[in-house]
Amino acid sequence: DQQVKQNSPSLSVQEGRISILNCDYTNSMFDYFLWYKKYPAEGPTFLISISSIKDKNEDGRFTVFLNKSAKHLSLHIVPSQPGDSAVYFCAASALGGSEKLVFGKGTKLTVNP
Amino acid sequence: DTAVSQTPKYLVTQMGNDKSIKCEQNLGHDTMYWYKQDSKKFLKIMFSYNNKELIINETVPNRFSPKSPDKAHLNLHINSLELGDSAVYFCASSQGGRNSPLHFGNGTRLTVT
């Protein structure tokens, strides 16, 4: 059963516009969420995280929003750049769940020049 | 100077063989992990070690045996390889603690024929 779902396998946006990547989760025990970015033939790299005590966290062009009641989070990239083209993974961990991260399947973002 | 390095990058072998994947991190982290990305693109945790001690052991066949000779190394040995073991295996490390980001290696693509 997929506890972390990224329902859009791919997303294409124009350079300079906003990219919005979505993630839904089913486990109400999840209280910490992370986004990772992955380029081809490389491992995922950490991008940004958010704790369930917050509803927004910002780091430069990247902002993550958390809607706990909807069990939904989103990653906004503004403005999008061609170098942002990658696969983005949403991940979550649960209080009391040791250090096990549960990942979504990823969304492939393509930013067109 | 790669932070988390794993070898080999590609591994092609026949069913029934035994193979090992090596992982080393130079970040001074206490915790290391093995993740598997299967054909459906899910990244799933297999094992986690903290200071050479096993702390997470997901439902993984006994044919998979991690070995941590010291906290900078976590190797994965696989016995009697099966077709279904074909996947990309990622090693990762972190400072430990639930909210510490993972630093991934670039993956080992294992193909069992």
Side-chain angles (χ1 to χ4, degrees):
Chain A
D1 63 330
Q2 297 180 49
Q3 297 186 66
V4 177
K5 301 178 185 180
Q6 294 177 257
N7 292 320
S8 297
S10 63
L11 174 68
S12 184
V13 299
Q14 285 298 119
E15 182 178 5
R17 306 294 288 269
I18 184 172
S19 296
I20 300 177
L21 297 106
N22 293 305
C23 178
D24 297 294
Y25 61 96
T26 57
N27 188 342
S28 57
M29 297 299 291
F30 286 149
D31 67 340
Y32 194 75
F33 305 89
L34 307 92
W35 285 93
Y36 285 80
K37 179 169 78 172
K38 183 184 180 304
Y39 292 119
E42 294 184 10
T45 55
F46 169 71
L47 192 56
I48 192 169
S49 63
I50 188 167
S51 164
S52 61
I53 62 172
K54 293 185 171 183
D55 53 18
K56 175 182 173 181
N57 190 25
E58 195 171 348
D59 183 0
R61 296 185 297 114
F62 302 90
T63 303
V64 56
F65 295 92
L66 175 62
N67 182 333
K68 290 185 289 293
S69 60
K71 294 192 177 69
H72 176 84
L73 61 156
S74 60
L75 174 68
H76 293 212
I77 308 173
V78 183
S80 301
Q81 299 173 354
D84 296 329
S85 298
V87 176
Y88 289 79
F89 289 96
C90 172
S93 70
L95 184 65
S98 69
E99 297 181 21
K100 188 170 71 172
L101 272 183
V102 180
F103 283 83
K105 289 174 68 170
T107 296
K108 183 177 181 180
L109 173 66
T110 303
V111 181
N112 301 302
Chain B
D1 51 338
T2 307
V4 180
S5 59
Q6 51 183 112
T7 54
K9 189 170 179 65
Y10 299 98
L11 187 52
V12 181
T13 188
Q14 291 185 325
M15 282 175 55
N17 285 346
D18 303 338
K19 290 293 178 186
S20 293
I21 307 172
K22 296 186 176 181
C23 179
E24 176 182 4
Q25 55 96 3
N26 62 7
L27 297 167
H29 289 163
D30 285 336
T31 307
M32 296 186 72
Y33 311 78
W34 277 109
Y35 275 80
K36 176 182 179 181
Q37 186 178 32
D38 59 23
S39 57
K40 295 182 179 178
K41 304 301 182 186
F42 282 109
L43 264 168
K44 293 183 181 176
I45 190 167
M46 300 173 68
F47 303 102
S48 172
Y49 270 73
N50 181 272
N51 245 329
K52 302 193 298 175
E53 280 195 39
L54 181 66
I55 57 172
I56 295 176
N57 185 349
E58 285 297 285
T59 309
V60 176
N62 290 337
R63 299 181 293 103
F64 290 78
S65 53
K67 293 281 192 303
S68 183
D70 55 61
K71 74 173 194 176
H73 295 84
L74 180 62
N75 304 322
L76 183 65
H77 189 77
I78 316 170
N79 289 327
S80 303
L81 278 155
E82 301 178 357
L83 292 176
D85 297 333
S86 296
V88 182
Y89 293 84
F90 288 98
C91 176
S93 73
S94 78
Q95 289 182 327
R98 204 163 62 87
N99 299 343
S100 296
L102 301 180
H103 295 255
F104 284 89
N106 286 337
T108 295
R109 181 174 292 277
L110 171 66
T111 304
V112 183
T113 62

